[in-house]
């Protein structure tokens, strides 16, 4: 059975619970009819493997409407404790994720893991402060996030608007992963591994050994165009390595709830290789950055959502890196 069909089945099981809960709430108060559907029914999560839950974010940039819900966030439930993997892009959506966890289990939330520094993955951290978890990340995450904090806060305040920005704070990791770290949730362990500079310089992958689920964070984009904030050369090398990994399923940072190796990586490899190939050729021909931003990688234009939003930035970053080869 393919992963998508399997996760569809789990999704149906979950949404039946959601439906019952929503029906009970509606019966309790007609006032709830006025509340947006998302708030009344709780945040959608799918159980993609036993004890592994994924919320799928929207393929959008942050806005008052999506309130920073534009990346995937997951949680893994052990017999003793829960680990959260990424917390969405605002305290408001972080709290909804926390409610979704509480609808599944009352076990303590002991770890909040961030796959990397980007706001759509870390700005919900504040919602978990009351659980007093260890905040876990790549050893370069603290520096990366701290140096960009003011800029990230200013941009997100502007794009999210005051209501969705409420409660956001920068929470740096309290537990740094040097190369790898194993977390015991009771009956299952998570293996956290730092990766070489690729999407960013602080990408962390997580493997749930009980189910063979590999969380790739933004090392894997699907549907949503990849965004480059690290090294295009490093990312391409890393993707080759990841493609040979054995995993029952992978969870992208942006994309469906669950996917399979190696096919999941192929569109992203093709996209990054198109940019790298075109930019290298243009540099060799003595062309400028401006030439590159209007032509490089445009064969990929129709294959991705948000291409017009991020592609030129990706080419610009790739040009700056590759002109020094
Ligand atoms: Zn990212």
């Amino acid at each position: 059975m393919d992963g998508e069909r399997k996760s569809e089945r789990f999704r149906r099981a979950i949404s039946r619970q959601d439906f019952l809960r929503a029906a009970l709430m509606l019966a309790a108060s007609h006032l709830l009819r006025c509340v947006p559907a998302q708030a009344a029914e709780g945040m959608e999560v799918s159980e993609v493997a036993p004890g592994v839950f994924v919320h799928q974010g929207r393929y959008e940039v942050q806005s008052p409407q999506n309130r920073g819900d534009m990346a995937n966030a997951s949680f893994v439930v052990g017999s003793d404790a829960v680990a959260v993997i990424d917390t969405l892009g605002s305290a408001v959506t972080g709290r909804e994720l926390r409610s979704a966890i509480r609808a599944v289990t009352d076990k303590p939330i002991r770890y909040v893991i961030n796959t990397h520094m980007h706001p759509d993955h870390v700005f919900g951290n504040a919602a978990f402060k009351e659980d007093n978890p260890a905040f876990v990340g790549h050893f370069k995450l603290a520096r990366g996030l701290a140096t960009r904090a003011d800029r990230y806060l200013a941009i997100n305040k502007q794009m999210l608007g005051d209501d969705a920005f409420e409660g956001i704070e920068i929470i740096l990791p309290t537990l740094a992963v040097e190369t790898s770290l194993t977390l015991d949730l009771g009956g299952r362990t998570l293996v956290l591994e730092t990766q070489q500079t690729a999407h960013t310089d602080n990408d962390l992958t997580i493997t749930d050994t009980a189910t063979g689920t590999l969380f790739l964070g933004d090392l894997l984009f699907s549907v949503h165009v990849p965004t480059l904030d690290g090294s295009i050369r490093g990312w391409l090398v890393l993707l080759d390595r990841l493609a040979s990994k054995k995993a029952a399923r992978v969870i992208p940072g942006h994309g469906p709830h669950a996917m399979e190796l190696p096919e999941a990586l192929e569109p992203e490899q093709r996209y990054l290789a198109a940019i790298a190939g075109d930019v290298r050729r243009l540099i060799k021909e003595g062309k400028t950055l401006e030439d590159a931003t209007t032509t490089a990688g445009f064969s990929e234009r129709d294959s991705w959502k948000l291409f017009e939003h991020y592609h030129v930035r990706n080419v610009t970053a790739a040009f700056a890196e590759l002109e020094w080869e």
Side-chain angles (χ1 to χ4, degrees), residues 228-233 272 275-277 279-280 283 289 292 296 311-325:
L228 174 62
D229 194 13
S231 162
I232 193 165
R233 284 186 298 180
L272 295 173
I275 292 180
V279 167
R280 282 191 174 111
I283 289 170
L289 169 62
H311 180 71
V312 167
R313 276 192 252 179
N314 290 339
V315 172
T316 305
F319 196 96
E321 179 183 350
L322 298 174
E323 75 181 325
W324 301 106
E325 275 186 325

Side-chain angles (χ1 to χ4, degrees), residues 76-84 107-113 134 136 175 180-192 206-210:
V76 181
V77 183
S79 57
D80 297 336
V82 181
V84 184
K107 302 238 163 71
I109 298 169
R110 205 165 281 161
Y111 303 102
V112 172
I113 303 163
V136 192
L175 178 57
S180 82
L181 177 71
T182 301
L183 302 177
D184 187 353
L185 303 181
R188 72 197 310 156
T189 55
L190 298 182
V191 179
L192 285 54
I206 299 103
T207 303
D208 170 45
T209 53

Side-chain angles (χ1 to χ4, degrees), residues 182-217:
T182 301
L183 302 177
D184 187 353
L185 303 181
R188 72 197 310 156
T189 55
L190 298 182
V191 179
L192 285 54
E193 294 170 282
T194 59
Q195 303 295 335
Q196 66 183 89
T197 301
H199 170 64
T200 67
D201 77 353
N202 49 84
D203 300 313
L204 184 74
T205 59
I206 299 103
T207 303
D208 170 45
T209 53
T211 61
T213 304
L214 174 59
F215 299 86
L216 289 175

Side-chain angles (χ1 to χ4, degrees), residues 116 118 121 199 218:
H116 65 292
H118 284 150
H121 301 259
H199 170 64
D218 280 5

Side-chain angles (χ1 to χ4, degrees), residues 98-132:
R98 190 176 180 281
S99 299
I101 296 170
R102 281 292 164 253
V104 169
T105 176
D106 56 7
K107 302 238 163 71
I109 298 169
R110 205 165 281 161
Y111 303 102
V112 172
I113 303 163
N114 292 124
T115 58
H116 65 292
M117 66 184 171
H118 284 150
D120 49 334
H121 301 259
V122 307
F123 270 10
N125 282 10
F128 295 91
K129 271 199 321 191
E130 64 186 281
D131 298 295
N132 200 24

